[in-house]
Amino acid sequence: MSQASPVFSGVKSVLVVLSSRALCFDQSGLRSLITHAYPGSVVFFISTSGDPVGVTGPKNVDLVIDFTEPGARQSIGFAPKMRGRGKFVVGRNTGWFYRKSKYDRIYDQSVDSEIPGDYIESEHWAQRKVLELAGIPVIRQGGVTPDRSKDIASTLPPLQNR
């Protein structure tokens, strides 16, 4: 069975800008998703202020994934700086008008009619959409079923005495 080809070709290094308000995927989970979509790639993380999280990444990378949400504190030159660091840049529309012209692909949650009303769910939805724009498939799993371990025993027939 052949693996689907990634959206961007030649990606060997990825820089992820983590959201400052809600992190819906942990670093190891993101690294796993990204390396599955782009085999052989190395993943680095930074905060919305530009500080490295963990190992400091190289100056230039092949793909930048920016999870910065609307309203986050960020320098006015952050988007052009990310454009300069990455060959391909994917992110969210944060309200700055030049972000649409600097990034290759933008997810605009203000025009998405399917986004959930709950803040955490909407943040998870938006981050998943950004990953999909970057060519990283994310399969949403169903909800957890209720624990029935205490109910099952009461529905079984009584044991026979010998």
Side-chain angles (χ1 to χ4, degrees), residues 60-94:
N60 296 319
V61 294
D62 296 320
L63 175 62
V64 175
I65 302 171
D66 188 357
F67 288 130
T68 303
E69 67 283 341
R73 284 190 167 184
Q74 208 168 50
S75 68
I76 196 161
F78 189 78
K81 187 186 293 183
M82 291 300 104
R83 173 79 264 173
R85 283 190 79 173
K87 187 170 27 170
F88 307 108
V89 185
V90 177
R92 293 167 70 177
N93 186 15
T94 60

PDB file of all heavy atoms in Angstrom, residues 60-94:
ATOM      1  N   ASN A  60      17.017  28.584   9.256  1.00  0.00           N
ATOM      2  CA  ASN A  60      16.104  28.374   8.133  1.00  0.00           C
ATOM      3  C   ASN A  60      15.600  26.936   8.138  1.00  0.00           C
ATOM      4  O   ASN A  60      16.371  26.005   8.333  1.00  0.00           O
ATOM      5  CB  ASN A  60      16.803  28.674   6.805  1.00  0.00           C
ATOM      6  CG  ASN A  60      17.199  30.130   6.688  1.00  0.00           C
ATOM      7  OD1 ASN A  60      16.445  31.001   7.078  1.00  0.00           O
ATOM      8  ND2 ASN A  60      18.390  30.392   6.180  1.00  0.00           N
ATOM      9  N   VAL A  61      14.291  26.794   7.907  1.00  0.00           N
ATOM     10  CA  VAL A  61      13.654  25.475   7.870  1.00  0.00           C
ATOM     11  C   VAL A  61      12.835  25.373   6.588  1.00  0.00           C
ATOM     12  O   VAL A  61      12.622  26.358   5.884  1.00  0.00           O
ATOM     13  CB  VAL A  61      12.753  25.246   9.104  1.00  0.00           C
ATOM     14  CG1 VAL A  61      13.565  25.187  10.380  1.00  0.00           C
ATOM     15  CG2 VAL A  61      11.677  26.292   9.204  1.00  0.00           C
ATOM     16  N   ASP A  62      12.378  24.165   6.310  1.00  0.00           N
ATOM     17  CA  ASP A  62      11.585  23.954   5.104  1.00  0.00           C
ATOM     18  C   ASP A  62      10.115  24.321   5.308  1.00  0.00           C
ATOM     19  O   ASP A  62       9.464  24.836   4.407  1.00  0.00           O
ATOM     20  CB  ASP A  62      11.678  22.487   4.655  1.00  0.00           C
ATOM     21  CG  ASP A  62      13.102  22.119   4.254  1.00  0.00           C
ATOM     22  OD1 ASP A  62      13.769  22.952   3.622  1.00  0.00           O
ATOM     23  OD2 ASP A  62      13.527  21.001   4.588  1.00  0.00           O
ATOM     24  N   LEU A  63       9.570  24.035   6.486  1.00  0.00           N
ATOM     25  CA  LEU A  63       8.148  24.275   6.742  1.00  0.00           C
ATOM     26  C   LEU A  63       7.963  24.900   8.118  1.00  0.00           C
ATOM     27  O   LEU A  63       8.523  24.424   9.103  1.00  0.00           O
ATOM     28  CB  LEU A  63       7.378  22.948   6.672  1.00  0.00           C
ATOM     29  CG  LEU A  63       5.900  22.953   7.024  1.00  0.00           C
ATOM     30  CD1 LEU A  63       5.106  23.835   6.067  1.00  0.00           C
ATOM     31  CD2 LEU A  63       5.352  21.532   7.010  1.00  0.00           C
ATOM     32  N   VAL A  64       7.174  25.973   8.174  1.00  0.00           N
ATOM     33  CA  VAL A  64       6.796  26.605   9.434  1.00  0.00           C
ATOM     34  C   VAL A  64       5.294  26.416   9.606  1.00  0.00           C
ATOM     35  O   VAL A  64       4.517  26.725   8.698  1.00  0.00           O
ATOM     36  CB  VAL A  64       7.138  28.111   9.449  1.00  0.00           C
ATOM     37  CG1 VAL A  64       6.615  28.761  10.724  1.00  0.00           C
ATOM     38  CG2 VAL A  64       8.622  28.337   9.312  1.00  0.00           C
ATOM     39  N   ILE A  65       4.896  25.876  10.763  1.00  0.00           N
ATOM     40  CA  ILE A  65       3.493  25.717  11.108  1.00  0.00           C
ATOM     41  C   ILE A  65       3.227  26.635  12.296  1.00  0.00           C
ATOM     42  O   ILE A  65       3.771  26.431  13.374  1.00  0.00           O
ATOM     43  CB  ILE A  65       3.159  24.257  11.468  1.00  0.00           C
ATOM     44  CG1 ILE A  65       3.497  23.340  10.299  1.00  0.00           C
ATOM     45  CG2 ILE A  65       1.694  24.126  11.855  1.00  0.00           C
ATOM     46  CD1 ILE A  65       3.412  21.868  10.624  1.00  0.00           C
ATOM     47  N   ASP A  66       2.396  27.656  12.075  1.00  0.00           N
ATOM     48  CA  ASP A  66       2.150  28.687  13.083  1.00  0.00           C
ATOM     49  C   ASP A  66       0.750  28.523  13.669  1.00  0.00           C
ATOM     50  O   ASP A  66      -0.238  28.748  12.989  1.00  0.00           O
ATOM     51  CB  ASP A  66       2.312  30.060  12.442  1.00  0.00           C
ATOM     52  CG  ASP A  66       2.273  31.190  13.455  1.00  0.00           C
ATOM     53  OD1 ASP A  66       2.067  30.923  14.657  1.00  0.00           O
ATOM     54  OD2 ASP A  66       2.456  32.342  13.037  1.00  0.00           O
ATOM     55  N   PHE A  67       0.671  28.122  14.947  1.00  0.00           N
ATOM     56  CA  PHE A  67      -0.601  27.952  15.639  1.00  0.00           C
ATOM     57  C   PHE A  67      -1.047  29.219  16.379  1.00  0.00           C
ATOM     58  O   PHE A  67      -2.007  29.173  17.136  1.00  0.00           O
ATOM     59  CB  PHE A  67      -0.513  26.821  16.668  1.00  0.00           C
ATOM     60  CG  PHE A  67      -0.466  25.451  16.072  1.00  0.00           C
ATOM     61  CD1 PHE A  67       0.511  24.553  16.474  1.00  0.00           C
ATOM     62  CD2 PHE A  67      -1.387  25.043  15.133  1.00  0.00           C
ATOM     63  CE1 PHE A  67       0.549  23.275  15.949  1.00  0.00           C
ATOM     64  CE2 PHE A  67      -1.351  23.774  14.598  1.00  0.00           C
ATOM     65  CZ  PHE A  67      -0.380  22.888  15.011  1.00  0.00           C
ATOM     66  N   THR A  68      -0.369  30.339  16.170  1.00  0.00           N
ATOM     67  CA  THR A  68      -0.700  31.566  16.887  1.00  0.00           C
ATOM     68  C   THR A  68      -2.152  31.942  16.647  1.00  0.00           C
ATOM     69  O   THR A  68      -2.596  32.071  15.519  1.00  0.00           O
ATOM     70  CB  THR A  68       0.215  32.721  16.427  1.00  0.00           C
ATOM     71  OG1 THR A  68       1.567  32.340  16.635  1.00  0.00           O
ATOM     72  CG2 THR A  68      -0.090  33.979  17.212  1.00  0.00           C
ATOM     73  N   GLU A  69      -2.889  32.138  17.739  1.00  0.00           N
ATOM     74  CA  GLU A  69      -4.322  32.411  17.654  1.00  0.00           C
ATOM     75  C   GLU A  69      -4.585  33.909  17.574  1.00  0.00           C
ATOM     76  O   GLU A  69      -3.724  34.711  17.919  1.00  0.00           O
ATOM     77  CB  GLU A  69      -5.040  31.815  18.861  1.00  0.00           C
ATOM     78  CG  GLU A  69      -4.716  32.460  20.169  1.00  0.00           C
ATOM     79  CD  GLU A  69      -3.375  32.051  20.750  1.00  0.00           C
ATOM     80  OE1 GLU A  69      -2.811  31.021  20.366  1.00  0.00           O
ATOM     81  OE2 GLU A  69      -2.891  32.795  21.610  1.00  0.00           O
ATOM     82  N   PRO A  70      -5.771  34.297  17.109  1.00  0.00           N
ATOM     83  CA  PRO A  70      -6.129  35.718  17.079  1.00  0.00           C
ATOM     84  C   PRO A  70      -6.088  36.316  18.481  1.00  0.00           C
ATOM     85  O   PRO A  70      -6.516  35.700  19.445  1.00  0.00           O
ATOM     86  CB  PRO A  70      -7.563  35.721  16.532  1.00  0.00           C
ATOM     87  CG  PRO A  70      -7.684  34.444  15.776  1.00  0.00           C
ATOM     88  CD  PRO A  70      -6.804  33.461  16.487  1.00  0.00           C
ATOM     89  N   GLY A  71      -5.537  37.511  18.584  1.00  0.00           N
ATOM     90  CA  GLY A  71      -5.470  38.198  19.867  1.00  0.00           C
ATOM     91  C   GLY A  71      -4.244  37.883  20.692  1.00  0.00           C
ATOM     92  O   GLY A  71      -4.078  38.415  21.778  1.00  0.00           O
ATOM     93  N   ALA A  72      -3.364  37.024  20.196  1.00  0.00           N
ATOM     94  CA  ALA A  72      -2.158  36.673  20.951  1.00  0.00           C
ATOM     95  C   ALA A  72      -1.156  37.822  20.875  1.00  0.00           C
ATOM     96  O   ALA A  72      -1.046  38.495  19.852  1.00  0.00           O
ATOM     97  CB  ALA A  72      -1.525  35.407  20.395  1.00  0.00           C
ATOM     98  N   ARG A  73      -0.442  38.022  21.975  1.00  0.00           N
ATOM     99  CA  ARG A  73       0.602  39.050  21.966  1.00  0.00           C
ATOM    100  C   ARG A  73       1.766  38.576  21.124  1.00  0.00           C
ATOM    101  O   ARG A  73       2.313  37.492  21.353  1.00  0.00           O
ATOM    102  CB  ARG A  73       1.083  39.313  23.382  1.00  0.00           C
ATOM    103  CG  ARG A  73       0.136  40.114  24.175  1.00  0.00           C
ATOM    104  CD  ARG A  73       0.789  40.528  25.450  1.00  0.00           C
ATOM    105  NE  ARG A  73      -0.017  41.546  26.064  1.00  0.00           N
ATOM    106  CZ  ARG A  73       0.327  42.164  27.163  1.00  0.00           C
ATOM    107  NH1 ARG A  73       1.448  41.865  27.762  1.00  0.00           N
ATOM    108  NH2 ARG A  73      -0.443  43.080  27.674  1.00  0.00           N
ATOM    109  N   GLN A  74       2.108  39.422  20.178  1.00  0.00           N
ATOM    110  CA  GLN A  74       3.183  39.061  19.272  1.00  0.00           C
ATOM    111  C   GLN A  74       3.736  40.335  18.657  1.00  0.00           C
ATOM    112  O   GLN A  74       2.999  41.301  18.450  1.00  0.00           O
ATOM    113  CB  GLN A  74       2.622  38.151  18.182  1.00  0.00           C
ATOM    114  CG  GLN A  74       3.601  37.213  17.594  1.00  0.00           C
ATOM    115  CD  GLN A  74       2.883  36.177  16.738  1.00  0.00           C
ATOM    116  OE1 GLN A  74       2.088  36.517  15.900  1.00  0.00           O
ATOM    117  NE2 GLN A  74       3.184  34.924  16.963  1.00  0.00           N
ATOM    118  N   SER A  75       5.016  40.322  18.348  1.00  0.00           N
ATOM    119  CA  SER A  75       5.596  41.507  17.725  1.00  0.00           C
ATOM    120  C   SER A  75       5.012  41.687  16.326  1.00  0.00           C
ATOM    121  O   SER A  75       4.596  40.727  15.675  1.00  0.00           O
ATOM    122  CB  SER A  75       7.123  41.384  17.654  1.00  0.00           C
ATOM    123  OG  SER A  75       7.482  40.370  16.747  1.00  0.00           O
ATOM    124  N   ILE A  76       5.000  42.896  15.861  1.00  0.00           N
ATOM    125  CA  ILE A  76       4.407  43.193  14.565  1.00  0.00           C
ATOM    126  C   ILE A  76       5.213  42.561  13.421  1.00  0.00           C
ATOM    127  O   ILE A  76       4.678  42.275  12.365  1.00  0.00           O
ATOM    128  CB  ILE A  76       4.247  44.711  14.373  1.00  0.00           C
ATOM    129  CG1 ILE A  76       3.303  45.000  13.232  1.00  0.00           C
ATOM    130  CG2 ILE A  76       5.591  45.382  14.175  1.00  0.00           C
ATOM    131  CD1 ILE A  76       2.725  46.372  13.232  1.00  0.00           C
ATOM    132  N   GLY A  77       6.473  42.284  13.667  1.00  0.00           N
ATOM    133  CA  GLY A  77       7.310  41.692  12.630  1.00  0.00           C
ATOM    134  C   GLY A  77       7.416  40.183  12.684  1.00  0.00           C
ATOM    135  O   GLY A  77       8.273  39.595  12.026  1.00  0.00           O
ATOM    136  N   PHE A  78       6.558  39.529  13.489  1.00  0.00           N
ATOM    137  CA  PHE A  78       6.671  38.081  13.654  1.00  0.00           C
ATOM    138  C   PHE A  78       6.371  37.325  12.362  1.00  0.00           C
ATOM    139  O   PHE A  78       7.095  36.409  11.994  1.00  0.00           O
ATOM    140  CB  PHE A  78       5.749  37.598  14.770  1.00  0.00           C
ATOM    141  CG  PHE A  78       5.956  36.158  15.141  1.00  0.00           C
ATOM    142  CD1 PHE A  78       7.027  35.785  15.928  1.00  0.00           C
ATOM    143  CD2 PHE A  78       5.101  35.171  14.686  1.00  0.00           C
ATOM    144  CE1 PHE A  78       7.240  34.471  16.275  1.00  0.00           C
ATOM    145  CE2 PHE A  78       5.305  33.835  15.015  1.00  0.00           C
ATOM    146  CZ  PHE A  78       6.380  33.486  15.818  1.00  0.00           C
ATOM    147  N   ALA A  79       5.294  37.691  11.662  1.00  0.00           N
ATOM    148  CA  ALA A  79       4.924  36.995  10.427  1.00  0.00           C
ATOM    149  C   ALA A  79       6.002  37.137   9.339  1.00  0.00           C
ATOM    150  O   ALA A  79       6.388  36.141   8.724  1.00  0.00           O
ATOM    151  CB  ALA A  79       3.574  37.482   9.913  1.00  0.00           C
ATOM    152  N   PRO A  80       6.538  38.332   9.104  1.00  0.00           N
ATOM    153  CA  PRO A  80       7.634  38.419   8.132  1.00  0.00           C
ATOM    154  C   PRO A  80       8.878  37.637   8.558  1.00  0.00           C
ATOM    155  O   PRO A  80       9.586  37.077   7.715  1.00  0.00           O
ATOM    156  CB  PRO A  80       7.931  39.916   8.057  1.00  0.00           C
ATOM    157  CG  PRO A  80       6.686  40.582   8.509  1.00  0.00           C
ATOM    158  CD  PRO A  80       6.073  39.657   9.507  1.00  0.00           C
ATOM    159  N   LYS A  81       9.121  37.581   9.876  1.00  0.00           N
ATOM    160  CA  LYS A  81      10.266  36.812  10.375  1.00  0.00           C
ATOM    161  C   LYS A  81      10.070  35.316  10.086  1.00  0.00           C
ATOM    162  O   LYS A  81      10.994  34.624   9.669  1.00  0.00           O
ATOM    163  CB  LYS A  81      10.441  37.033  11.872  1.00  0.00           C
ATOM    164  CG  LYS A  81      11.707  36.411  12.423  1.00  0.00           C
ATOM    165  CD  LYS A  81      11.790  36.523  13.931  1.00  0.00           C
ATOM    166  CE  LYS A  81      11.937  37.945  14.359  1.00  0.00           C
ATOM    167  NZ  LYS A  81      12.100  38.086  15.826  1.00  0.00           N
ATOM    168  N   MET A  82       8.841  34.814  10.295  1.00  0.00           N
ATOM    169  CA  MET A  82       8.548  33.405   9.995  1.00  0.00           C
ATOM    170  C   MET A  82       8.637  33.144   8.495  1.00  0.00           C
ATOM    171  O   MET A  82       9.111  32.098   8.067  1.00  0.00           O
ATOM    172  CB  MET A  82       7.164  33.017  10.510  1.00  0.00           C
ATOM    173  CG  MET A  82       7.041  32.968  12.016  1.00  0.00           C
ATOM    174  SD  MET A  82       8.160  31.777  12.785  1.00  0.00           S
ATOM    175  CE  MET A  82       9.420  32.838  13.463  1.00  0.00           C
ATOM    176  N   ARG A  83       8.209  34.088   7.688  1.00  0.00           N
ATOM    177  CA  ARG A  83       8.312  33.953   6.234  1.00  0.00           C
ATOM    178  C   ARG A  83       9.780  33.843   5.828  1.00  0.00           C
ATOM    179  O   ARG A  83      10.137  33.076   4.936  1.00  0.00           O
ATOM    180  CB  ARG A  83       7.645  35.158   5.560  1.00  0.00           C
ATOM    181  CG  ARG A  83       7.835  35.225   4.064  1.00  0.00           C
ATOM    182  CD  ARG A  83       6.911  34.290   3.335  1.00  0.00           C
ATOM    183  NE  ARG A  83       7.583  33.035   3.031  1.00  0.00           N
ATOM    184  CZ  ARG A  83       6.973  31.984   2.521  1.00  0.00           C
ATOM    185  NH1 ARG A  83       5.695  31.999   2.287  1.00  0.00           N
ATOM    186  NH2 ARG A  83       7.627  30.888   2.251  1.00  0.00           N
ATOM    187  N   GLY A  84      10.636  34.606   6.489  1.00  0.00           N
ATOM    188  CA  GLY A  84      12.067  34.555   6.200  1.00  0.00           C
ATOM    189  C   GLY A  84      12.725  33.267   6.663  1.00  0.00           C
ATOM    190  O   GLY A  84      13.733  32.843   6.100  1.00  0.00           O
ATOM    191  N   ARG A  85      12.168  32.628   7.679  1.00  0.00           N
ATOM    192  CA  ARG A  85      12.757  31.396   8.211  1.00  0.00           C
ATOM    193  C   ARG A  85      12.340  30.157   7.441  1.00  0.00           C
ATOM    194  O   ARG A  85      13.063  29.169   7.429  1.00  0.00           O
ATOM    195  CB  ARG A  85      12.366  31.207   9.673  1.00  0.00           C
ATOM    196  CG  ARG A  85      13.149  32.097  10.600  1.00  0.00           C
ATOM    197  CD  ARG A  85      12.919  31.736  12.020  1.00  0.00           C
ATOM    198  NE  ARG A  85      13.707  30.566  12.403  1.00  0.00           N
ATOM    199  CZ  ARG A  85      13.794  30.112  13.638  1.00  0.00           C
ATOM    200  NH1 ARG A  85      13.147  30.721  14.599  1.00  0.00           N
ATOM    201  NH2 ARG A  85      14.502  29.047  13.910  1.00  0.00           N
ATOM    202  N   GLY A  86      11.145  30.184   6.818  1.00  0.00           N
ATOM    203  CA  GLY A  86      10.634  28.977   6.196  1.00  0.00           C
ATOM    204  C   GLY A  86      10.436  29.088   4.699  1.00  0.00           C
ATOM    205  O   GLY A  86      10.049  30.132   4.183  1.00  0.00           O
ATOM    206  N   LYS A  87      10.700  27.988   4.022  1.00  0.00           N
ATOM    207  CA  LYS A  87      10.426  27.925   2.589  1.00  0.00           C
ATOM    208  C   LYS A  87       8.916  27.895   2.358  1.00  0.00           C
ATOM    209  O   LYS A  87       8.408  28.523   1.440  1.00  0.00           O
ATOM    210  CB  LYS A  87      11.089  26.667   2.006  1.00  0.00           C
ATOM    211  CG  LYS A  87      11.003  26.590   0.510  1.00  0.00           C
ATOM    212  CD  LYS A  87      11.838  25.493  -0.147  1.00  0.00           C
ATOM    213  CE  LYS A  87      12.146  24.289   0.652  1.00  0.00           C
ATOM    214  NZ  LYS A  87      12.749  23.203  -0.144  1.00  0.00           N
ATOM    215  N   PHE A  88       8.184  27.171   3.211  1.00  0.00           N
ATOM    216  CA  PHE A  88       6.727  27.116   3.185  1.00  0.00           C
ATOM    217  C   PHE A  88       6.228  27.518   4.570  1.00  0.00           C
ATOM    218  O   PHE A  88       6.768  27.057   5.574  1.00  0.00           O
ATOM    219  CB  PHE A  88       6.218  25.710   2.857  1.00  0.00           C
ATOM    220  CG  PHE A  88       6.808  25.123   1.612  1.00  0.00           C
ATOM    221  CD1 PHE A  88       7.728  24.088   1.676  1.00  0.00           C
ATOM    222  CD2 PHE A  88       6.440  25.600   0.367  1.00  0.00           C
ATOM    223  CE1 PHE A  88       8.265  23.539   0.534  1.00  0.00           C
ATOM    224  CE2 PHE A  88       6.974  25.060  -0.781  1.00  0.00           C
ATOM    225  CZ  PHE A  88       7.891  24.032  -0.698  1.00  0.00           C
ATOM    226  N   VAL A  89       5.179  28.345   4.622  1.00  0.00           N
ATOM    227  CA  VAL A  89       4.647  28.806   5.900  1.00  0.00           C
ATOM    228  C   VAL A  89       3.129  28.649   5.892  1.00  0.00           C
ATOM    229  O   VAL A  89       2.463  29.098   4.966  1.00  0.00           O
ATOM    230  CB  VAL A  89       5.019  30.277   6.181  1.00  0.00           C
ATOM    231  CG1 VAL A  89       4.546  30.688   7.572  1.00  0.00           C
ATOM    232  CG2 VAL A  89       6.504  30.494   6.043  1.00  0.00           C
ATOM    233  N   VAL A  90       2.616  27.977   6.939  1.00  0.00           N
ATOM    234  CA  VAL A  90       1.190  27.741   7.100  1.00  0.00           C
ATOM    235  C   VAL A  90       0.793  28.248   8.475  1.00  0.00           C
ATOM    236  O   VAL A  90       1.527  28.058   9.440  1.00  0.00           O
ATOM    237  CB  VAL A  90       0.871  26.229   6.980  1.00  0.00           C
ATOM    238  CG1 VAL A  90      -0.595  25.963   7.205  1.00  0.00           C
ATOM    239  CG2 VAL A  90       1.321  25.689   5.641  1.00  0.00           C
ATOM    240  N   GLY A  91      -0.361  28.909   8.575  1.00  0.00           N
ATOM    241  CA  GLY A  91      -0.768  29.418   9.872  1.00  0.00           C
ATOM    242  C   GLY A  91      -2.208  29.851   9.913  1.00  0.00           C
ATOM    243  O   GLY A  91      -2.999  29.536   9.031  1.00  0.00           O
ATOM    244  N   ARG A  92      -2.511  30.591  10.968  1.00  0.00           N
ATOM    245  CA  ARG A  92      -3.869  31.085  11.201  1.00  0.00           C
ATOM    246  C   ARG A  92      -3.915  32.583  10.952  1.00  0.00           C
ATOM    247  O   ARG A  92      -2.929  33.286  11.157  1.00  0.00           O
ATOM    248  CB  ARG A  92      -4.281  30.810  12.646  1.00  0.00           C
ATOM    249  CG  ARG A  92      -4.423  29.347  12.937  1.00  0.00           C
ATOM    250  CD  ARG A  92      -4.516  29.066  14.400  1.00  0.00           C
ATOM    251  NE  ARG A  92      -5.782  29.528  14.974  1.00  0.00           N
ATOM    252  CZ  ARG A  92      -6.105  29.330  16.240  1.00  0.00           C
ATOM    253  NH1 ARG A  92      -5.287  28.695  17.044  1.00  0.00           N
ATOM    254  NH2 ARG A  92      -7.243  29.758  16.702  1.00  0.00           N
ATOM    255  N   ASN A  93      -5.077  33.061  10.549  1.00  0.00           N
ATOM    256  CA  ASN A  93      -5.274  34.485  10.380  1.00  0.00           C
ATOM    257  C   ASN A  93      -5.480  35.091  11.754  1.00  0.00           C
ATOM    258  O   ASN A  93      -6.432  34.757  12.446  1.00  0.00           O
ATOM    259  CB  ASN A  93      -6.483  34.757   9.485  1.00  0.00           C
ATOM    260  CG  ASN A  93      -6.631  36.216   9.167  1.00  0.00           C
ATOM    261  OD1 ASN A  93      -5.707  36.998   9.362  1.00  0.00           O
ATOM    262  ND2 ASN A  93      -7.785  36.604   8.689  1.00  0.00           N
ATOM    263  N   THR A  94      -4.593  35.977  12.146  1.00  0.00           N
ATOM    264  CA  THR A  94      -4.688  36.559  13.485  1.00  0.00           C
ATOM    265  C   THR A  94      -5.231  37.974  13.465  1.00  0.00           C
ATOM    266  O   THR A  94      -5.251  38.634  14.488  1.00  0.00           O
ATOM    267  CB  THR A  94      -3.305  36.572  14.170  1.00  0.00           C
ATOM    268  OG1 THR A  94      -2.421  37.362  13.376  1.00  0.00           O
ATOM    269  CG2 THR A  94      -2.774  35.180  14.350  1.00  0.00           C
TER     270      THR A  94
END
